[in-house]
C-alpha cells in the first residue's frame, strides 16, 4: 500500500510490541508527499489513571480531592521515564529505516487524545496496533 499523496500520518505508540509493529508497517508501506509528515504519537496517562487512583473523600468533614504532591510527582516522573523509553525505541526503529519523524507527547485518556491529535493535525491516516482490547470509538 504505497501512496505518495499522504500529507500527514499519525502513528500511535504505547510501548506494546503491537504498536511498534504498526510503526514498522507504516514505515515499510506508506509513502508521504515530499512535504508530508509522519508523527509518532504517545499518549501519557495522567497520574490518577496511571496509578489507578480514585481517592476516597477524607471522612468526618475533612477536605476532599486532596492529592499527595510527592506521590503525584513520583508517578509523573515515572511516566516521563516510560515515555522517554517508548519514544527512544520508536525513534530507533525509524532510524533503522532511515525515516525522519516528528514525535508528539500528550497527556490524557488515550482513546480521546489519539482522536484529538489525529483530527487537529488533519491526519490523512491514523495507524495503530491492535491488542484485541476493543474498537476505538470516535467521540465526534
Amino acid at each position: 500500500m504505497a501512496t505518495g499523496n499522504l500529507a500527514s500520518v499519525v502513528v500511535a505508540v504505547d510501548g506494546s510490541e503491537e504498536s511498534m509493529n504498526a510503526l514498522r508497517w507504516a514505515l515499510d508501506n506508506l509513502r508521504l508527499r515530499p512535504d508530508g509528515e509522519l508523527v509518532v504519537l504517545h499518549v501519557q496517562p495522567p497520574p490518577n489513571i496511571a496509578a489507578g487512583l480514585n481517592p476516597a473523600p477524607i471522612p468526618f468533614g475533612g477536605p476532599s480531592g486532596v492529592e499527595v504532591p510527592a506521590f503525584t510527582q513520583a508517578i509523573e516522573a515515572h511516566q516521563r521515564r516510560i515515555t522517554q523509553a517508548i519514544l527512544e525505541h520508536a525513534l530507533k526503529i525509524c532510524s533503522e529505516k532511515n525515516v525522519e519523524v516528528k514525535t508528539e507527547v500528550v497527556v490524557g485518556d488515550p482513546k480521546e487524545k489519539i482522536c484529538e491529535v489525529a483530527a487537529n493535525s488533519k491526519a490523512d491516516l491514523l495507524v495503530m496496533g491492535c491488542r484485541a482490547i476493543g474498537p476505538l470509538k470516535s467521540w465526534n
Side-chain angles (χ1 to χ4, degrees):
M1 174 192 193
T3 180
N5 201 29
L6 297 172
S8 175
V9 173
V10 174
V11 181
V13 296
D14 64 2
S16 68
E17 193 57 37
E18 292 84 358
S19 72
M20 296 303 164
N21 286 337
L23 175 60
R24 286 182 190 93
W25 179 89
L27 295 171
D28 288 341
N29 293 287
L30 300 177
R31 300 293 170 258
L32 301 174
R33 293 190 326 215
D35 62 339
E37 180 174 69
L38 192 143
V39 178
V40 174
L41 169 68
H42 176 67
V43 180
Q44 184 176 296
N48 61 337
I49 291 176
L53 296 178
N54 189 6
I58 298 174
F60 310 114
S64 61
V66 175
E67 289 187 12
V68 179
F71 185 63
T72 300
Q73 290 170 356
I75 292 170
E76 288 173 345
H78 183 68
Q79 285 297 107
R80 283 191 299 273
R81 287 190 298 272
I82 290 170
T83 296
Q84 181 179 356
I86 290 168
L87 290 180
E88 284 175 1
H89 187 69
L91 289 172
K92 180 177 181 239
I93 291 168
C94 296
S95 175
E96 290 168 356
K97 305 234 182 231
N98 295 317
V99 177
E100 289 187 30
V101 298
K102 175 185 167 194
T103 59
E104 185 170 347
V105 176
V106 293
V107 177
D109 186 351
K111 68 180 178 275
E112 294 172 4
K113 292 298 181 178
I114 291 169
C115 292
E116 186 179 297
V117 168
N120 289 344
S121 66
K122 295 179 175 54
D124 296 313
L125 187 64
L126 169 62
V127 178
M128 298 172 47
C130 176
R131 293 189 283 169
I133 293 174
L136 178 71
K137 295 178 184 170
S138 176
W139 298 101
N140 295 339

